[in-house]
Amino acid sequence: MDLTSLDRIRAAHDRTELTLGPRSAPLAGGTWLFSELQPDLEELVDLTTLGWPAVEVTADGLTLGATCTIRSLVDLPPVPGWRSQHLVAQCARSLVASEKIWDWATVGGNICLALPAGAMTSLAVALDATAVVWTPDGGERREPVASFVTGVRTTTLNRGEVLRAVSVPADALGQPAAFRRIALTRQGRSGAIVIGRRLGLGGLVVTLTAGVTHPHRLEFPTLPSRTELAEAVAAVDDWYDDPHGAPDWRRAMTIRLAEQVREELA
């Protein structure tokens, strides 16, 4: 779609050119920006010209530049010892979009858009990822992606801040994980996503996305019983309501999926 309200698209080549005005927005893949009218915008600031590395694998884990495309992440060869790397493809497929979109859509864009069904949000929260944010004063702050996304289309980004990278720790990547997803139709938008990960000392982390307005992370020091897990999920009080699922249905399905995840990882 043509954005007729725009006056300019400005390419940023270093951090000093990242200044964002009140009617500016950062541009990466643009798969959402160019999907509908943006009447409040006058300027887009292109982040792809900054040359951020897409994917960096180190002993500490995985660092994804915010402009890393989903294709680049999915195409990362298997890394020995990363037992939860299969979550990448499973979450990417839950975008329910043509794989052509993977060539343009970015990890940072999907997280910053903060839709409940954001596939990269599901992945990042499940793997205890950290958002690396550049602040307008030249500094940097770090925050768990689980708290970075605060609600439907809302994050903790302040005016002028830009998501620089997403950092995933090696220990989370090395732990076994299980993925479950449900939608009202075979090719429909995710109604609920539950991802579980076994901790090194026998505990369990369960993350809830898509069915709630913001991510939820439930951690148990030991493997919970069926009842303990169901009660923890049922205590969530912000079930999302839209044409892709009613709150009571999302709640019931999330409890069901969580039990499937628990059984798989038991």
Side-chain angles (χ1 to χ4, degrees), residues 35-77:
S35 70
E36 58 183 65
L37 296 174
Q38 308 290 343
D40 295 330
L41 293 182
E42 292 180 348
E43 176 188 59
L44 298 180
V45 180
D46 191 348
L47 305 182
T48 63
T49 50
L50 287 161
W52 294 339
V55 180
E56 298 175 281
V57 177
T58 69
D60 295 326
L62 177 67
T63 299
L64 304 171
T67 53
C68 172
T69 64
I70 294 173
R71 172 70 65 192
S72 297
L73 178 56
V74 171
D75 286 350
L76 177 68

Tab-separated table of all heavy atoms in Angstrom, residues 35-77:
chain	number	residue	atom	x	y	z
A	35	SER	N	0.850	-2.230	5.301
A	35	SER	CA	-0.357	-3.038	5.125
A	35	SER	C	-1.632	-2.234	5.335
A	35	SER	O	-2.715	-2.705	5.010
A	35	SER	CB	-0.345	-4.218	6.098
A	35	SER	OG	-0.534	-3.781	7.438
A	36	GLU	N	-1.506	-1.036	5.897
A	36	GLU	CA	-2.683	-0.209	6.119
A	36	GLU	C	-2.266	1.255	6.180
A	36	GLU	O	-1.077	1.581	6.262
A	36	GLU	CB	-3.390	-0.607	7.415
A	36	GLU	CG	-2.546	-0.517	8.671
A	36	GLU	CD	-3.309	-1.012	9.895
A	36	GLU	OE1	-3.645	-2.202	9.955
A	36	GLU	OE2	-3.557	-0.172	10.780
A	37	LEU	N	-3.249	2.141	6.140
A	37	LEU	CA	-2.960	3.568	6.179
A	37	LEU	C	-2.279	3.953	7.480
A	37	LEU	O	-2.577	3.401	8.547
A	37	LEU	CB	-4.257	4.366	6.021
A	37	LEU	CG	-4.995	4.223	4.688
A	37	LEU	CD1	-6.330	4.964	4.747
A	37	LEU	CD2	-4.138	4.757	3.545
A	38	GLN	N	-1.364	4.921	7.393
A	38	GLN	CA	-0.663	5.438	8.564
A	38	GLN	C	-0.802	6.958	8.579
A	38	GLN	O	0.167	7.694	8.392
A	38	GLN	CB	0.827	5.024	8.519
A	38	GLN	CG	1.095	3.549	8.320
A	38	GLN	CD	0.714	2.702	9.530
A	38	GLN	OE1	0.538	3.227	10.626
A	38	GLN	NE2	0.578	1.408	9.333
A	39	PRO	N	-1.989	7.478	8.793
A	39	PRO	CA	-2.233	8.915	8.635
A	39	PRO	C	-1.465	9.798	9.604
A	39	PRO	O	-1.312	11.001	9.356
A	39	PRO	CB	-3.744	9.044	8.856
A	39	PRO	CG	-4.109	7.851	9.677
A	39	PRO	CD	-3.200	6.752	9.214
A	40	ASP	N	-0.978	9.243	10.720
A	40	ASP	CA	-0.272	10.048	11.708
A	40	ASP	C	1.223	10.165	11.433
A	40	ASP	O	1.930	10.861	12.162
A	40	ASP	CB	-0.474	9.466	13.109
A	40	ASP	CG	-1.927	9.528	13.551
A	40	ASP	OD1	-2.628	10.461	13.113
A	40	ASP	OD2	-2.349	8.646	14.313
A	41	LEU	N	1.703	9.491	10.388
A	41	LEU	CA	3.141	9.481	10.118
A	41	LEU	C	3.503	10.430	8.988
A	41	LEU	O	2.773	10.549	7.991
A	41	LEU	CB	3.605	8.070	9.752
A	41	LEU	CG	3.536	7.003	10.851
A	41	LEU	CD1	4.078	5.683	10.325
A	41	LEU	CD2	4.299	7.443	12.092
A	42	GLU	N	4.642	11.095	9.148
A	42	GLU	CA	5.211	11.938	8.089
A	42	GLU	C	6.551	11.408	7.602
A	42	GLU	O	6.975	11.731	6.508
A	42	GLU	CB	5.400	13.368	8.607
A	42	GLU	CG	4.106	14.115	8.896
A	42	GLU	CD	4.358	15.513	9.406
A	42	GLU	OE1	5.517	15.822	9.754
A	42	GLU	OE2	3.379	16.305	9.466
A	43	GLU	N	7.196	10.589	8.440
A	43	GLU	CA	8.556	10.152	8.115
A	43	GLU	C	8.785	8.720	8.590
A	43	GLU	O	8.328	8.320	9.665
A	43	GLU	CB	9.570	11.071	8.799
A	43	GLU	CG	11.022	10.650	8.604
A	43	GLU	CD	11.988	11.460	9.455
A	43	GLU	OE1	11.849	11.440	10.704
A	43	GLU	OE2	12.880	12.100	8.884
A	44	LEU	N	9.495	7.955	7.763
A	44	LEU	CA	9.998	6.653	8.162
A	44	LEU	C	11.516	6.724	8.201
A	44	LEU	O	12.143	7.312	7.304
A	44	LEU	CB	9.546	5.560	7.194
A	44	LEU	CG	8.037	5.311	7.074
A	44	LEU	CD1	7.764	4.197	6.062
A	44	LEU	CD2	7.441	4.951	8.431
A	45	VAL	N	12.102	6.119	9.232
A	45	VAL	CA	13.561	6.080	9.365
A	45	VAL	C	14.007	4.641	9.160
A	45	VAL	O	13.705	3.757	9.968
A	45	VAL	CB	14.010	6.601	10.736
A	45	VAL	CG1	15.533	6.553	10.839
A	45	VAL	CG2	13.516	8.032	10.955
A	46	ASP	N	14.707	4.400	8.048
A	46	ASP	CA	15.109	3.049	7.651
A	46	ASP	C	16.242	2.552	8.547
A	46	ASP	O	17.317	3.150	8.614
A	46	ASP	CB	15.563	3.078	6.188
A	46	ASP	CG	15.737	1.684	5.607
A	46	ASP	OD1	15.729	0.707	6.380
A	46	ASP	OD2	15.887	1.582	4.375
A	47	LEU	N	15.990	1.442	9.251
A	47	LEU	CA	17.000	0.847	10.129
A	47	LEU	C	17.906	-0.141	9.403
A	47	LEU	O	18.994	-0.445	9.883
A	47	LEU	CB	16.316	0.121	11.304
A	47	LEU	CG	15.342	0.914	12.165
A	47	LEU	CD1	14.819	0.033	13.293
A	47	LEU	CD2	15.988	2.172	12.724
A	48	THR	N	17.455	-0.636	8.261
A	48	THR	CA	18.222	-1.684	7.576
A	48	THR	C	19.560	-1.167	7.047
A	48	THR	O	20.475	-1.949	6.787
A	48	THR	CB	17.415	-2.288	6.422
A	48	THR	OG1	17.154	-1.281	5.434
A	48	THR	CG2	16.093	-2.848	6.917
A	49	THR	N	19.702	0.152	6.886
A	49	THR	CA	20.947	0.729	6.388
A	49	THR	C	22.013	0.839	7.472
A	49	THR	O	23.141	1.241	7.193
A	49	THR	CB	20.682	2.119	5.792
A	49	THR	OG1	19.929	2.895	6.729
A	49	THR	CG2	19.872	2.007	4.513
A	50	LEU	N	21.665	0.465	8.717
A	50	LEU	CA	22.636	0.521	9.807
A	50	LEU	C	23.595	-0.669	9.785
A	50	LEU	O	24.627	-0.649	10.461
A	50	LEU	CB	21.907	0.572	11.152
A	50	LEU	CG	21.219	1.909	11.463
A	50	LEU	CD1	20.168	1.720	12.553
A	50	LEU	CD2	22.240	2.947	11.868
A	51	GLY	N	23.242	-1.708	9.055
A	51	GLY	CA	24.159	-2.841	8.918
A	51	GLY	C	24.292	-3.703	10.153
A	51	GLY	O	25.342	-4.318	10.378
A	52	TRP	N	23.250	-3.798	10.957
A	52	TRP	CA	23.315	-4.636	12.145
A	52	TRP	C	23.428	-6.107	11.750
A	52	TRP	O	22.701	-6.566	10.861
A	52	TRP	CB	22.063	-4.455	12.994
A	52	TRP	CG	21.915	-3.094	13.604
A	52	TRP	CD1	22.897	-2.182	13.814
A	52	TRP	CD2	20.703	-2.497	14.087
A	52	TRP	NE1	22.386	-1.058	14.409
A	52	TRP	CE2	21.031	-1.220	14.589
A	52	TRP	CE3	19.371	-2.925	14.156
A	52	TRP	CZ2	20.082	-0.363	15.140
A	52	TRP	CZ3	18.424	-2.077	14.703
A	52	TRP	CH2	18.778	-0.817	15.199
A	53	PRO	N	24.314	-6.873	12.394
A	53	PRO	CA	24.380	-8.311	12.103
A	53	PRO	C	23.040	-8.970	12.391
A	53	PRO	O	22.393	-8.670	13.410
A	53	PRO	CB	25.466	-8.819	13.064
A	53	PRO	CG	26.274	-7.610	13.410
A	53	PRO	CD	25.312	-6.459	13.401
A	54	ALA	N	22.620	-9.847	11.499
A	54	ALA	CA	21.312	-10.488	11.673
A	54	ALA	C	21.344	-11.515	12.791
A	54	ALA	O	20.522	-11.458	13.725
A	54	ALA	CB	20.871	-11.126	10.366
A	55	VAL	N	22.253	-12.465	12.714
A	55	VAL	CA	22.311	-13.569	13.661
A	55	VAL	C	23.753	-13.754	14.117
A	55	VAL	O	24.666	-13.890	13.296
A	55	VAL	CB	21.807	-14.884	13.022
A	55	VAL	CG1	21.872	-16.024	14.018
A	55	VAL	CG2	20.383	-14.719	12.490
A	56	GLU	N	23.956	-13.756	15.427
A	56	GLU	CA	25.285	-13.995	15.990
A	56	GLU	C	25.185	-15.134	17.004
A	56	GLU	O	24.446	-15.041	17.977
A	56	GLU	CB	25.826	-12.738	16.660
A	56	GLU	CG	26.021	-11.556	15.724
A	56	GLU	CD	26.442	-10.293	16.452
A	56	GLU	OE1	25.552	-9.641	17.047
A	56	GLU	OE2	27.646	-9.974	16.439
A	57	VAL	N	25.945	-16.209	16.758
A	57	VAL	CA	25.977	-17.358	17.654
A	57	VAL	C	27.287	-17.328	18.434
A	57	VAL	O	28.360	-17.296	17.845
A	57	VAL	CB	25.864	-18.676	16.871
A	57	VAL	CG1	25.983	-19.877	17.808
A	57	VAL	CG2	24.535	-18.733	16.111
A	58	THR	N	27.190	-17.306	19.757
A	58	THR	CA	28.373	-17.294	20.609
A	58	THR	C	28.202	-18.324	21.711
A	58	THR	O	27.155	-18.976	21.828
A	58	THR	CB	28.586	-15.904	21.238
A	58	THR	OG1	27.523	-15.661	22.199
A	58	THR	CG2	28.582	-14.809	20.180
A	59	ALA	N	29.220	-18.439	22.564
A	59	ALA	CA	29.136	-19.360	23.692
A	59	ALA	C	28.055	-18.930	24.668
A	59	ALA	O	27.524	-19.752	25.434
A	59	ALA	CB	30.487	-19.440	24.393
A	60	ASP	N	27.718	-17.648	24.666
A	60	ASP	CA	26.691	-17.135	25.583
A	60	ASP	C	25.277	-17.348	25.068
A	60	ASP	O	24.314	-17.182	25.817
A	60	ASP	CB	26.911	-15.648	25.837
A	60	ASP	CG	28.218	-15.362	26.567
A	60	ASP	OD1	28.608	-16.198	27.412
A	60	ASP	OD2	28.839	-14.326	26.296
A	61	GLY	N	25.146	-17.673	23.783
A	61	GLY	CA	23.813	-17.891	23.223
A	61	GLY	C	23.644	-17.295	21.855
A	61	GLY	O	24.548	-17.350	21.009
A	62	LEU	N	22.519	-16.656	21.635
A	62	LEU	CA	22.130	-16.164	20.318
A	62	LEU	C	21.740	-14.694	20.429
A	62	LEU	O	20.956	-14.316	21.301
A	62	LEU	CB	20.939	-16.983	19.808
A	62	LEU	CG	20.312	-16.617	18.470
A	62	LEU	CD1	21.287	-16.884	17.336
A	62	LEU	CD2	19.030	-17.427	18.254
A	63	THR	N	22.325	-13.870	19.563
A	63	THR	CA	21.942	-12.468	19.498
A	63	THR	C	21.357	-12.186	18.127
A	63	THR	O	21.992	-12.472	17.108
A	63	THR	CB	23.147	-11.542	19.745
A	63	THR	OG1	23.672	-11.790	21.058
A	63	THR	CG2	22.723	-10.076	19.661
A	64	LEU	N	20.150	-11.635	18.114
A	64	LEU	CA	19.457	-11.325	16.871
A	64	LEU	C	19.355	-9.814	16.732
A	64	LEU	O	18.814	-9.141	17.620
A	64	LEU	CB	18.049	-11.928	16.880
A	64	LEU	CG	17.959	-13.439	17.113
A	64	LEU	CD1	16.512	-13.853	17.319
A	64	LEU	CD2	18.579	-14.192	15.953
A	65	GLY	N	19.865	-9.283	15.634
A	65	GLY	CA	19.638	-7.876	15.371
A	65	GLY	C	18.160	-7.640	15.178
A	65	GLY	O	17.437	-8.503	14.661
A	66	ALA	N	17.684	-6.470	15.585
A	66	ALA	CA	16.248	-6.198	15.456
A	66	ALA	C	15.791	-6.264	14.012
A	66	ALA	O	14.622	-6.541	13.735
A	66	ALA	CB	15.919	-4.828	16.052
A	67	THR	N	16.710	-6.017	13.071
A	67	THR	CA	16.359	-6.064	11.651
A	67	THR	C	16.556	-7.453	11.039
A	67	THR	O	16.398	-7.618	9.831
A	67	THR	CB	17.196	-5.040	10.870
A	67	THR	OG1	18.590	-5.242	11.161
A	67	THR	CG2	16.819	-3.614	11.239
A	68	CYS	N	16.878	-8.433	11.865
A	68	CYS	CA	17.018	-9.814	11.378
A	68	CYS	C	15.678	-10.289	10.829
A	68	CYS	O	14.643	-10.187	11.487
A	68	CYS	CB	17.454	-10.719	12.527
A	68	CYS	SG	17.436	-12.486	12.142
A	69	THR	N	15.679	-10.786	9.609
A	69	THR	CA	14.436	-11.300	9.053
A	69	THR	C	14.119	-12.671	9.643
A	69	THR	O	15.009	-13.402	10.102
A	69	THR	CB	14.507	-11.429	7.522
A	69	THR	OG1	15.506	-12.407	7.184
A	69	THR	CG2	14.843	-10.100	6.873
A	70	ILE	N	12.853	-13.008	9.621
A	70	ILE	CA	12.449	-14.321	10.113
A	70	ILE	C	13.085	-15.414	9.266
A	70	ILE	O	13.463	-16.468	9.772
A	70	ILE	CB	10.919	-14.412	10.133
A	70	ILE	CG1	10.372	-13.429	11.177
A	70	ILE	CG2	10.448	-15.831	10.432
A	70	ILE	CD1	8.883	-13.292	11.199
A	71	ARG	N	13.266	-15.152	7.984
A	71	ARG	CA	13.934	-16.124	7.113
A	71	ARG	C	15.349	-16.401	7.592
A	71	ARG	O	15.781	-17.565	7.663
A	71	ARG	CB	13.965	-15.593	5.682
A	71	ARG	CG	14.812	-16.419	4.717
A	71	ARG	CD	14.191	-17.767	4.414
A	71	ARG	NE	12.936	-17.588	3.711
A	71	ARG	CZ	12.057	-18.574	3.514
A	71	ARG	NH1	12.301	-19.781	3.980
A	71	ARG	NH2	10.931	-18.341	2.863
A	72	SER	N	16.095	-15.361	7.933
A	72	SER	CA	17.472	-15.547	8.397
A	72	SER	C	17.512	-16.376	9.667
A	72	SER	O	18.417	-17.202	9.860
A	72	SER	CB	18.139	-14.189	8.640
A	72	SER	OG	18.240	-13.458	7.445
A	73	LEU	N	16.545	-16.174	10.549
A	73	LEU	CA	16.505	-16.932	11.794
A	73	LEU	C	16.124	-18.381	11.534
A	73	LEU	O	16.754	-19.304	12.063
A	73	LEU	CB	15.516	-16.277	12.753
A	73	LEU	CG	15.299	-16.965	14.099
A	73	LEU	CD1	16.614	-17.135	14.845
A	73	LEU	CD2	14.296	-16.178	14.932
A	74	VAL	N	15.114	-18.611	10.707
A	74	VAL	CA	14.672	-19.975	10.415
A	74	VAL	C	15.772	-20.761	9.710
A	74	VAL	O	15.939	-21.966	9.940
A	74	VAL	CB	13.389	-19.948	9.565
A	74	VAL	CG1	13.042	-21.346	9.061
A	74	VAL	CG2	12.223	-19.382	10.370
A	75	ASP	N	16.544	-20.086	8.862
A	75	ASP	CA	17.589	-20.762	8.090
A	75	ASP	C	18.870	-21.003	8.874
A	75	ASP	O	19.833	-21.566	8.332
A	75	ASP	CB	17.925	-19.947	6.833
A	75	ASP	CG	16.829	-20.059	5.767
A	75	ASP	OD1	15.924	-20.895	5.933
A	75	ASP	OD2	16.883	-19.302	4.781
A	76	LEU	N	18.928	-20.577	10.133
A	76	LEU	CA	20.120	-20.831	10.947
A	76	LEU	C	20.332	-22.339	11.083
A	76	LEU	O	19.425	-23.054	11.519
A	76	LEU	CB	19.948	-20.199	12.330
A	76	LEU	CG	21.091	-20.427	13.330
A	76	LEU	CD1	22.336	-19.690	12.883
A	76	LEU	CD2	20.677	-19.981	14.726
A	77	PRO	N	21.504	-22.859	10.708
A	77	PRO	CA	21.743	-24.308	10.819
A	77	PRO	C	21.634	-24.768	12.270
A	77	PRO	O	21.875	-23.990	13.203
A	77	PRO	CB	23.182	-24.468	10.294
A	77	PRO	CG	23.422	-23.258	9.453
A	77	PRO	CD	22.650	-22.151	10.098
